[in-house]
Structure formats: structure tokens, C-alpha cells
């Protein structure tokens, strides 16, 4: 079988936007430097497989994430004027200044729900990070650049343990109030479970932030990412972050492994009769190719099931 048998289920959206993070979240944790030409080819292949939003790189301090120190080169190789969107991570004014002149149209700031991760990831308190983002969002918005806001450690933190839902909503609200048009809720270490996701989305709803302004960003460390995604879809979310092949992790949270694999997500969505515009076979080929570049197997279960077999 090369595709699931589609069976609709009531209460789910007809269409879902897959927000691809492989070239950024997927690669940022790789210690062996991947050449910029390979990164560009990865992004082009993802676009050819039907991904319409592909987070391309990060304009962070190169000493912090050496793998993405070639952000200018990678972004310069992309056509930023067409229908496809190539967001990049930007933490501060220095990062914004580096990418504005290159014609960037989408950036993402990235806050934390917890103090420990804010310090480890951004060298600041939660409030200090929000203060750092404020002029970035203002300048980007004035330049017509769309801004996404991430909140990390929404469902648990490796140093602080449980994270109160109210604390996540407070940080998320603060990012939206800066002027972000979308908020992506990050399960950085993959510990969320479906009831927690439903409760989180309900709490955002009660705070006046509906699912149309939210995306979900699940890492699959504990094998919960698909179940959590289904819970998010049932709550009305229609933007889901995923990484081709399931590669990735965060260098500042040792317990974080790869994101929800895009192939696993697409299999479930197509099985539910939900349109994505993604060509699963082309995507699998891309992940197998990328795994060859990285010299490691593909974590995605769907890729493992389908890639080695030429026929059934
Ligand atoms: P800092 O060390 O506090 O920086 O880092 P600073 O503001 O004190 O500046 C020190 C020097 O760095 C200065 O140079 C700056 O110009 C330079 P000097 O004047 O001394 O010569 N600098 C920069 N250079 C290039 N680009 C820049 C930049 N900024 C400063 N943008 C900083 C603070 C925020 C920069 C640092 O902590 C950083 O880069 N952090 C990024 C960490 C990161 O990328 N983490 C991974 C992404 S987040 C993630 O994966 C989670 C997510 O997937 C969601 C989820 O899963 O939960 C999004
Ligand atoms: Mg992530």
C-alpha cells in the first residue's frame, strides 16, 4: 500500500496547512556541517513535493547554532517573491537587520514559557526575551513582514518539570500582543499527551485566542506527536508544524529529539480525507536523499515502511 484508504471523520477540518520546519529545526541540531548547497537543494525538493511554507534557517548568533551560520547564503538562494513562504527564525534586531535586506517576508520570534529555557536558549529571562522581541516585531511589521511567535516548553520542561497552562497562555498572549499574526505552541521535548493539548487549546480559547491564530509544534520524543495532532485538529487547529523524515531537535534542550515527521502527518491527514497538497512519494524520496546526506537513518515510521520497497 502506498497511500492510506481515506475515511472522513466528523468534526475535522477539510484542509490543513503543513508548516515544514526540516531545514531549520531538523538541521539545527546536526553537528556535522551540512553545505549550504545541500540545504538549498533540500528546500527546493520540499517545495517540489508540495510544501508551501518551509522554515528555511535561523538568523541567530552563529556561535550559538553553528549549523545555521550560513543563513544568508541559504536565504539568498531562494525566490522570496513567489507564492511559497520561507520563514526564518529571528531573535533580535541584529538578526532582523541581517535578513531584511535579503527580501525576507516571514520571520518567527521564539519565546519560552519557562525561565530556565529562556535563559538557556536566549540568554535572558522570559520578560527580557519579550522585551528583546518588541522592536523586532515593530520593525518587521512596519516593513510588511509577517511574524510568527513560538512558545517553547508549553507542555513540560526538562529542568522545571510541569508547566502551568496559565503560564503558557500568559507568554503566548504577550507575543500576540507584540503583533505576531500566529502563535505556534511548542512541545519542545515531546512530553505532551492529547488531554493536555485539548486543555491547552481550551485555555487559549478562554483567553480570546482561537484556533485560527494557533499552530501546534510537536516533537515526537515520546511517540505522542500524532495523537496530539489529532487532538489539536479536533480543537479546530489547521496549521501543523512538522519536519521531513522526523529529523531534528534543539541544541539547548538535550532531551528534545525530532519533530513530528511530515510523512507520518501526511499519511494520517490523507487517511482522514484532509487535503494537504503534498505528494507523499516525492516527500519520502526527499527524506531518503537527505538521510543519505546526513549519513543516518530516517526516523519517520512512514518513510521506514515505504522507502525500502519498490513494490508490494
Ligand atoms: P547573547 O550572547 O546574549 O548576544 O545571545 P548579545 O545580544 O549579548 O550579543 C553578543 C554578540 O553577538 C554581539 O557581537 C552581537 O552582535 C552578536 P559583538 O558586538 O560582541 O561583536 N549577535 C549576533 N550575531 C549575529 N546574529 C545575531 C546576533 N545576535 C547577537 N542574531 C541570542 C543572545 C538571542 C543572540 C542567542 O541566545 C541566540 O542566538 N540564541 C538562539 C538559540 C537558538 O537558535 N535556539 C534554537 C531555536 S529555538 C527552538 O528550536 C524551539 C522551537 O523549535 C520551538 C520548540 O520546539 O519549542 C522554535
Ligand atoms: Mg522545535
Amino acid at each position: 500500500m502506498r497511500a492510506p484508504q481515506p475515511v472522513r471523520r466528523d468534526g475535522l477540518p477539510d484542509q490543513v496547512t503543513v508548516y515544514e520546519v526540516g531545514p531549520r529545526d531538523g538541521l539545527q541540531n546536526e553537528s556535522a556541517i551540512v553545505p549550504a548547497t545541500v540545504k538549498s537543494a533540500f528546500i527546493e525538493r520540499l517545495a517540489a513535493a508540495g510544501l508551501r511554507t518551509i522554515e528555511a534557517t535561523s538568523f541567530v548568533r552563529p556561535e550559538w547554532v553553528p549549523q545555521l551560520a550560513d543563513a544568508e547564503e541559504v536565504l539568498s538562494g531562494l525566490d522570496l517573491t513567489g507564492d511559497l513562504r520561507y520563514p526564518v527564525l529571528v531573535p533580535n534586531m541584529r538578526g532582523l537587520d541581517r535578513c531584511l535586506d535579503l527580501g525576507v517576508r516571514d520571520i518567527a520570534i521564539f519565546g519560552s514559557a519557562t525561565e530556565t529555557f529562556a535563559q538557556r536558549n536566549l540568554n535572558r529571562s522570559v520578560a527580557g526575551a519579550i522585551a528583546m522581541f518588541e522592536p523586532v516585531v515593530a520593525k518587521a511589521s512596519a516593513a510588511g513582514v509577517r511574524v510568527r511567535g513560538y512558545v517553547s516548553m508549553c507542555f513540560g520542561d526538562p529542568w522545571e518539570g510541569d508547566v502551568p497552562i496559565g503560564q503558557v497562555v500568559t507568554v503566548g498572549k504577550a507575543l500576540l500582543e507584540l503583533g505576531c499574526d500566529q502563535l505556534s505552541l511548542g512541545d519542545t521535548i515531546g512530553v505532551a499527551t492529547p488531554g493536555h493539548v485539548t486543555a491547552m487549546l481550551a485555555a487559549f480559547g478562554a483567553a480570546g485566542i482561537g484556533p485560527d491564530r494557533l499552530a501546534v509544534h510537536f516533537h515526537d520524543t515520546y511517540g505522542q506527536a500524532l495523537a496530539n495532532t489529532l487532538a489539536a485538529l479536533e480543537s479546530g487547529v489547521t496549521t501543523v508544524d512538522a519536519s521531513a523524515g522526523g529529523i531534528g531537535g534543539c541544541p539547548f534542550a538535550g532531551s528534545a529529539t525530532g519533530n513530528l515527521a511530515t510523512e507520518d502527518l501526511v499519511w494520517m491527514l490523507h487517511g482522514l480525507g484532509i487535503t494537504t497538497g503534498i505528494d507523499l512519494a516525492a516527500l519520502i524520496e526527499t527524506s531518503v536523499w537527505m538521510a543519505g546526506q546526513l549519513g543516518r537513518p530516517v526516523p519517520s515510521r512512514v518513510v521506514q515502511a515505504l522507502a525500502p520497497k519498490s513494490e508490494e
Side-chain angles (χ1 to χ4, degrees):
M1 245 175 112
R2 312 294 301 179
Q5 187 169 333
V7 181
R8 291 284 302 165
R9 193 162 133 172
D10 288 345
L12 296 180
D14 296 333
Q15 208 170 336
V16 161
T17 299
V18 178
Y19 182 107
E20 171 64 41
V21 296
R24 193 280 302 171
D25 211 347
L27 293 182
Q28 70 182 9
N29 211 26
E30 287 293 323
S31 46
I33 297 295
V34 177
T37 48
V38 171
K39 291 172 181 161
S40 301
F42 184 32
I43 294 168
E44 276 163 24
R45 281 170 175 257
L46 290 168
L51 271 316
R52 287 289 163 268
T53 304
I54 305 169
E55 200 166 81
T57 186
S58 297
F59 285 83
V60 298
R61 194 172 170 191
E63 292 89 340
W64 282 61
V65 185
Q67 181 62 256
L68 303 183
D70 57 2
E72 278 86 352
E73 201 180 335
V74 171
L75 202 66
S76 304
L78 303 174
D79 174 12
L80 299 175
T81 62
D83 290 341
L84 272 62
R85 312 297 295 207
Y86 298 107
V88 297
L89 252 53
V90 168
N92 55 13
M93 290 303 276
R94 173 88 182 88
L96 184 64
D97 291 340
R98 284 174 59 202
C99 66
L100 259 190
D101 288 347
L102 299 174
V104 80
R105 292 192 294 158
D106 303 83
I107 66 163
I109 55 168
F110 46 107
S112 168
T114 66
E115 289 295 341
T116 312
F117 190 63
Q119 283 297 343
R120 286 179 174 258
N121 200 42
L122 296 159
N123 205 21
R124 273 144 187 82
S125 64
V126 170
I130 292 170
M132 175 170 75
F133 299 145
E134 191 176 354
V136 174
V137 181
K139 187 169 177 180
S141 304
V145 171
R146 247 173 15 200
V147 186
R148 166 183 249 219
Y150 280 102
V151 186
S152 283
M153 301 300 174
C154 291
F155 299 92
D157 173 288
W159 303 280
E160 298 185 17
D162 292 351
V163 178
I165 287 177
Q167 193 172 312
V168 179
V169 174
T170 302
V171 173
K173 223 173 161 201
L175 295 186
L176 285 173
E177 279 164 7
L178 291 181
C180 294
D181 67 270
Q182 184 180 61
L183 197 64
S184 178
L185 304 178
D187 182 16
T188 320
I189 56 169
V191 292
T193 47
H196 197 167
V197 172
T198 306
M200 181 71 68
L201 295 168
F204 271 97
I209 301 161
D212 52 316
R213 301 194 71 190
L214 298 173
V216 286
H217 180 101
F218 296 120
H219 285 259
D220 204 21
T221 323
Y222 290 77
Q224 305 296 304
L226 268 184
N228 292 335
T229 301
L230 186 57
L233 297 178
E234 283 168 347
S235 297
V237 170
T238 57
T239 301
V240 181
D241 300 1
S243 161
I247 55 172
C250 177
F252 306 102
S255 43
T257 60
N259 294 79
L260 166 62
T262 313
E263 291 87 349
D264 298 7
L265 172 64
V266 168
W267 183 276
M268 182 178 81
L269 294 175
H270 289 181
L272 288 163
I274 296 173
T275 306
T276 65
I278 295 167
D279 175 345
L280 184 59
L283 184 59
I284 290 171
E285 258 177 53
T286 299
S287 293
V288 169
W289 170 83
M290 194 61 212
Q293 300 294 322
L294 298 174
R296 63 175 63 199
V298 186
S300 160
R301 300 293 287 268
V302 168
V303 177
Q304 285 170 22
L306 293 181
K309 305 183 190 77
S310 54
E311 58 189 52
E312 244 170 33

